[in-house]
Amino acid sequence: MSATGPDEVPAELAAALLPPLDPPPVFDADTLSTWFASLDPVRRGVRAPGTWRAYAVDLAHFAEWCALHDLQPLPAAAETVADYLVAHVEKLSVATLQRRLAAIAVAHGVIGVPSPTDGEHVGLVWRGLRRVHEPGRRRRRVDALETRNLADLVAPLTDTVMDHRDRALLVLGFAGALRRSELSALEVGDVVVEPGRLLLTVRAAGARAERVVELPRGKRLETCPVRSWRKWAEVARLAEGPAFRRMTKGGKSLRPERLGDRGVAEVVKRRTLDVGLDPSLFSGHSLRAGFVTSAARAGVPGVSIARQTGHRSAAALAACVREERPFPGNPAAHVGL
């Protein structure tokens, strides 16, 4: 039975009948988030808030690539979209590219023009790329940055603004088992300082729900989430807006723009290089995998780890573990074999 009455219009159709918006003036993720937020409630209500945030990040990446090649992102030509897919199929997963296509299509619908993703040219290229790259394609497993590695990364950091930012980003990302997109999306207001702990409101891109993550005060000054955040907030004079921000070239001063998810990965790679590790083996996900691996090795129950990470399945949680040797407390050692 339909959820709409005889005189009601389905939400998707009602959204399509609303007047279009003008394209945004610029295409960074924050501006695009504001642009999507300006949609009327009917059109915006068709999708979850997290989906709109994910679309803003996806569209910003597409627009950045267009700018490098002197191409127009919105409205975009079908050839532009097809070339973008070909350029990134070796760098991004098929699932990520599929979400990028969805973001491009939605953005064209918002401005009231046909989407190039609906045309035969993009469709043929997309089907061909999926046929070649999707079957049996294995995701590259990056190495984990465990507790000892985290201590090594932050040990050389000094009292500069950039060093305080990077310390807080690395420590909070590890202790909260955050995805790089979650670190990028954090707002100052999402971080609440309480006696002996931080409470983070974490929003996953594309998810309807958010979770609150507790980060207790650490035993060591250099890896303490509470003290790392408080010092960073103090030197950066954070009052509102993005929790982690970009730096000027050379890292001498702070910029107001949000540090993007690729920027998070670049911090991890730069700091691993600084301590003599191979940066090609690490990414933003290394912090999350490092927390899960360290906690599992310490014998923390999986349900407690999943409460911190937000994993919904044991299989997804297990995929984060980087360990070939059996963990302490392996259940097979306690069943009388």
Side-chain angles (χ1 to χ4, degrees), residues 69-85:
H69 296 83
D70 198 25
L71 298 170
Q72 182 171 298
L74 193 63
E79 292 78 8
T80 298
V81 177
D83 288 348
Y84 172 80
L85 293 173

Side-chain angles (χ1 to χ4, degrees), residues 40-65:
D40 51 85
V42 172
R43 192 179 305 177
R44 188 167 172 82
V46 171
R47 293 172 176 84
T51 302
W52 290 114
R53 289 192 291 271
Y55 282 170
V57 172
D58 291 334
L59 195 59
H61 186 270
F62 172 65
E64 183 178 2
W65 179 86

Side-chain angles (χ1 to χ4, degrees), residues 61 84 88-94 96-97 100 137 180:
H61 186 270
Y84 172 80
H88 291 87
V89 72
E90 295 288 352
K91 304 173 184 177
L92 302 173
S93 69
V94 171
T96 297
L97 287 175
R100 297 271 160 87
R137 186 179 182 187
R180 66 180 191 175

Side-chain angles (χ1 to χ4, degrees), residues 101-127:
L101 285 176
I104 293 168
V106 167
H108 281 77
V110 168
I111 66 171
V113 300
S115 172
T117 62
D118 294 334
E120 183 178 0
H121 181 60
V122 173
L124 284 173
V125 171
W126 177 236
R127 288 193 294 273

Side-chain angles (χ1 to χ4, degrees), residues 164-323:
H164 282 300
R165 182 202 68 178
D166 289 0
R167 182 192 301 276
L169 185 145
L170 293 169
V171 172
L172 267 64
F174 177 89
L178 304 181
R179 300 173 178 88
R180 66 180 191 175
S181 60
E182 294 170 342
L183 269 171
S184 174
L186 271 182
E187 297 281 327
V188 174
D190 294 333
V191 185
V192 178
V193 181
E194 294 190 348
R197 66 176 184 172
L198 298 178
L199 293 178
L200 307 186
T201 300
V202 178
R203 301 174 180 85
R208 292 179 179 273
E210 57 187 34
R211 71 184 193 277
V212 176
V213 176
E214 178 183 356
L215 307 185
R217 186 180 180 91
K219 296 179 180 178
R220 297 195 293 178
L221 175 64
E222 62 272 18
T223 54
C224 172
V226 177
R227 285 172 283 192
S228 297
W229 169 258
R230 294 185 69 171
K231 188 62 179 179
W232 158 238
E234 175 189 338
V235 299
R237 299 179 181 178
L238 299 181
E240 59 182 4
F244 295 106
R245 306 178 185 197
R246 298 173 62 185
M247 306 291 297
T248 56
K249 191 172 183 179
K252 293 187 177 180
S253 60
L254 194 63
R255 296 174 57 177
E257 297 91 355
R258 182 184 307 278
L259 183 69
D261 58 351
R262 285 192 297 166
V264 171
E266 288 168 2
V267 170
V268 173
K269 289 181 176 294
R270 174 161 42 81
R271 295 307 182 180
T272 54
L273 179 63
D274 288 347
V275 297
L277 297 174
D278 183 353
S280 68
L281 301 178
F282 300 94
S283 74
H285 184 68
S286 295
L287 296 171
R288 182 170 168 86
F291 172 87
V292 174
T293 302
S294 298
R297 182 178 289 116
V300 178
V303 65
S304 296
I305 300 174
R307 188 179 300 118
Q308 190 82 343
T309 64
H311 280 107
R312 296 185 179 181
S313 74
L317 181 63
C320 274
V321 176
R322 306 293 192 267
E323 177 61 81

